[in-house]
Amino acid sequence: MKHFFNRRETIVTEALDGLLRTAAPGMLARLDSYPDIKVVVRADWDRSRVAVISGGGAGHEPSHAGFVGRGMLTAAVSGEIFASPSVDAVLTAIRAVTGKPGCLLVVKNYTGDRLNFGLAAEKARAEGFDVEMVIVADDIALPDINQPRGVAGTLLVHKIAGHLAESGGSLASVAATAKAAAADIVSLGVSYSSCSIPGRPYEDRLRENQGELGLGIHGEPGVEKIAVQQADGLVSIMTERLSAATKPAGKYALLINNLGAVPPLEMSLIANAVLSSPFADRVALTIGPGPMMTALNMNGFSLSLIRLDPVRETALLSDVAPRAWLPAVAPHAVAIVPAPRAESLAETAVASHDGGAERVLAAICDRLIALEPELNRLDAKAGDGDTGSTVATGARSILAQTGGLPLADRATLLSVIGETLSTAMGGSSGVLLSIFFTAAGRASGDGGSLVGSLLAGLERMTFYGGAHPGDRTMVDALSPALHAMAVGGVRAAADAARKGADATKAMRKANAGRSAYIGESDLDGVMDPGAHAVAEVFAAVAGILEPA
């Protein structure tokens, strides 16, 4: 898989510097110990309160450095991708931010993290620092394992411990509350792909129709293979297992975490599935959905639950500085407000009779319906072969309304035609003609002449559609026809329209419409179907109003 990076050896340091450069000024800093020791700290820290330190391998962004700031972490220690930071790195972080109140280390339950953070804590104590450590082991994928992994639920401990420390709590109280919270967190993940590490070959261990349930955040295989299925089915499996691992009583906070590559559209759908499931009745707070503890570009998500009590609920709801933390909200029903309703012009227009208008309208519609096969044939050479059917559908819809049309009210008639075509015709041609007649109706209502109103419609159609004469569209016939009609009448318009339509045969390059995607050789000698339809319409009108 492809990745954006410069050198594999500097991915982590460059990424951390990118975070620091885009953070709010005065919020974050790093120790001058690059590249071996990578520590991000609060720039405003004064050591007057308990420090909360966490970290681990890179690749889980925004964890852990993205959660450094007021109300959460005091410092984050980063290793290389999926590699625990060294003992020296953790010890350096402790020295940098720990004052007399002491510090709490929040560690995910992986062997490397336990050992390196643990030895650093022992060394720090030997130097006189007051240090406590809480280990988060929230993954329930392997229910019988003695050492469950620490995954996204770790963030809930960051938030609770960070709030208590920010509020001035003692190290003993912060540590005790954090340990109790960690014991009440359960998490489970699912993915449709493993992750890809920059600079290393990628091998997907999953077949096309497979996913993994209960996988770790370092690309470890899942506990079991599952079939690719609807999101509701996945959520049902996960919430059932999470429910079985929680106490039946009490309310919970739910963290919906993107493991890296799930599009926001799908994450919102997943959130809806979770909050529509039976377990939703027990959820009092939701956090997410969003990428918070990722596994590089893993196409998966995880759900984490923590049982609430007043202290935890207050802590999870408190405001924090890090932008990566998504505020907790109480689940609620979808708010629905009435949409504005407006009667259509066809419903409100008063029917009126005008024999001349009726004959012209019928002649136009009849001609377009008769042209259906020919226009489809032309369109098949440069499109999907449906122009004739689309135009004929619009014509039939107009004919069907003839008895109720305001034929004697030109402005309203043009507007009703525009409204009808917007719903009866499909594709861009329906929209363009709707714009044309709607704008023409508005101009006519303002006192414009018929030709002036139609030219106003043309101006709006070309503005929104972007096509102009020479672009090989219906405009190549419509524009010269209307301009000729302004000075020479309908017969001159018909002649100009036919000349314009014929000219499209020699236009080997289309600059607008679907034909713009067709090769020049496929367009050579082929008349644009829209332009041909316009020419035929003007010929039909001229045959009634100015017969030869």
Side-chain angles (χ1 to χ4, degrees):
M1 297 181 72
K2 300 180 180 68
H3 295 273
F4 296 100
F5 68 102
N6 296 312
R7 292 187 302 122
R8 183 177 162 188
E9 296 76 14
T10 59
I11 290 174
V12 179
T13 54
E14 291 179 35
L16 288 173
D17 280 352
L19 170 69
L20 294 164
R21 290 178 188 276
T22 55
M27 180 177 172
L28 300 178
R30 67 168 171 85
L31 301 184
D32 62 352
S33 49
Y34 265 16
D36 296 327
I37 292 176
K38 296 175 276 293
V39 178
V40 173
V41 299
R42 282 180 60 172
D44 61 347
W45 187 243
D46 60 7
R47 303 191 191 190
S48 63
R49 284 152 293 169
V50 171
V52 181
I53 302 173
S54 190
H60 305 302
E61 287 69 23
S63 293
H64 300 83
F67 295 109
V68 173
R70 176 184 53 80
M72 288 196 73
L73 299 180
T74 312
V77 195
S78 177
E80 295 301 316
I81 293 177
F82 295 164
S84 176
S86 67
V87 173
D88 286 344
V90 178
L91 183 56
T92 300
I94 294 172
R95 292 169 177 158
V97 299
T98 305
K100 187 175 180 181
C103 83
L104 175 69
L105 303 180
V106 181
V107 182
K108 297 187 298 300
N109 195 25
Y110 285 93
T111 301
D113 288 348
R114 287 178 65 117
L115 293 176
N116 287 300
F117 277 83
L119 181 53
E122 292 302 318
K123 289 189 172 185
R125 292 187 187 107
E127 294 180 10
F129 293 103
D130 196 359
V131 180
E132 293 286 343
M133 188 165 85
V134 56
I135 298 172
V136 186
D138 54 311
D139 186 16
I140 65 164
L142 298 165
D144 299 325
I145 193 172
N146 291 328
Q147 297 290 338
R149 296 172 293 204
V151 287
T154 309
L155 302 173
L156 301 171
V157 179
H158 291 170
K159 184 67 173 66
I160 292 168
H163 169 76
L164 295 174
E166 192 73 33
S167 301
S170 67
L171 177 59
S173 65
V174 173
T177 304
K179 290 175 182 178
D184 272 347
I185 301 174
V186 292
S187 297
L188 186 62
V190 67
S191 182
Y192 282 159
S193 77
S194 55
C195 57
S196 170
I197 299 176
R200 295 185 189 174
Y202 173 70
E203 288 188 22
D204 194 346
R205 57 180 174 262
L206 299 174
R207 294 197 294 269
E208 181 66 23
N209 64 341
Q210 280 187 329
E212 286 184 324
L213 182 68
L215 67 170
I217 55 173
H218 302 104
E220 310 100 308
V223 174
E224 62 185 273
K225 298 284 197 303
I226 58 172
V228 171
Q229 57 193 277
Q230 291 183 345
D232 287 342
L234 285 176
V235 166
S236 178
I237 294 171
M238 296 174 73
T239 55
E240 285 177 7
R241 298 195 184 187
L242 289 166
S243 295
T246 58
K247 297 178 180 179
K251 292 291 185 179
Y252 287 80
L254 168 68
L255 172 64
I256 307 172
N257 174 57
N258 187 342
L259 284 167
V262 183
L265 174 73
E266 295 176 31
M267 286 304 303
S268 292
L269 182 150
I270 289 163
N272 183 64
V274 176
L275 295 175
S276 301
S277 71
F279 187 82
D281 292 339
R282 299 173 63 189
V283 176
L285 293 176
T286 58
I287 300 149
M292 302 181 77
M293 179 77 76
T294 65
L296 291 172
N297 58 354
M298 186 177 286
N299 183 26
F301 68 94
S302 64
L303 304 176
S304 299
L305 293 163
I306 181 171
R307 189 169 58 84
L308 289 174
D309 60 27
V311 172
R312 295 171 188 174
E313 185 168 356
T314 299
L316 292 175
L317 287 169
S318 65
D319 182 48
V320 296
R323 293 178 296 180
W325 176 258
L326 301 175
V329 298
H332 52 272
V334 175
I336 300 175
V337 297
R341 303 246 193 269
E343 290 184 295
S344 68
L345 280 172
E347 293 173 333
T348 58
V350 178
S352 57
H353 179 70
D354 184 305
E358 184 173 354
R359 286 192 300 275
V360 168
L361 195 59
I364 292 173
C365 293
D366 289 341
R367 181 66 65 92
L368 291 175
I369 293 170
L371 282 170
E372 181 175 355
E374 184 178 356
L375 294 178
N376 282 342
R377 179 184 58 79
L378 286 173
D379 189 39
K381 297 180 179 181
D384 55 7
D386 67 348
T387 292
S389 299
T390 301
V391 170
T393 298
R396 291 188 184 99
S397 67
I398 298 297
L399 278 180
Q401 298 183 54
T402 301
L405 291 175
L407 296 170
D409 182 348
R410 187 180 69 207
T412 305
L413 175 62
L414 291 170
S415 297
V416 168
I417 291 173
E419 181 183 85
T420 301
L421 296 181
S422 71
T423 56
M425 287 182 65
S428 58
S429 58
V431 177
L432 289 169
L433 289 173
S434 178
I435 291 171
F436 173 76
F437 283 106
T438 300
R442 186 182 308 112
S444 182
D446 291 337
S449 65
L450 175 60
V451 176
S453 299
L454 294 177
L455 284 169
L458 174 66
E459 187 277 327
R460 288 290 83 190
M461 185 175 74
T462 56
F463 173 80
Y464 289 112
H468 297 88
D471 288 341
R472 203 183 187 283
T473 68
M474 72 172 82
V475 175
D476 285 295
L478 184 58
S479 179
L482 292 179
H483 285 93
M485 186 175 171
V487 295
V490 176
R491 177 56 61 187
D495 293 341
R498 175 45 58 198
K499 183 178 179 181
D502 289 342
T504 62
K505 294 180 182 179
M507 297 178 186
R508 302 185 63 185
K509 175 63 178 173
N511 297 316
R514 190 182 289 113
S515 296
Y517 306 106
I518 305 300
E520 292 185 11
S521 60
D522 294 319
L523 296 177
D524 189 21
V526 179
M527 185 185 304
D528 179 75
H532 180 51
V534 169
E536 289 294 310
V537 164
F538 275 94
V541 174
I544 293 175
L545 300 182
E546 296 181 15

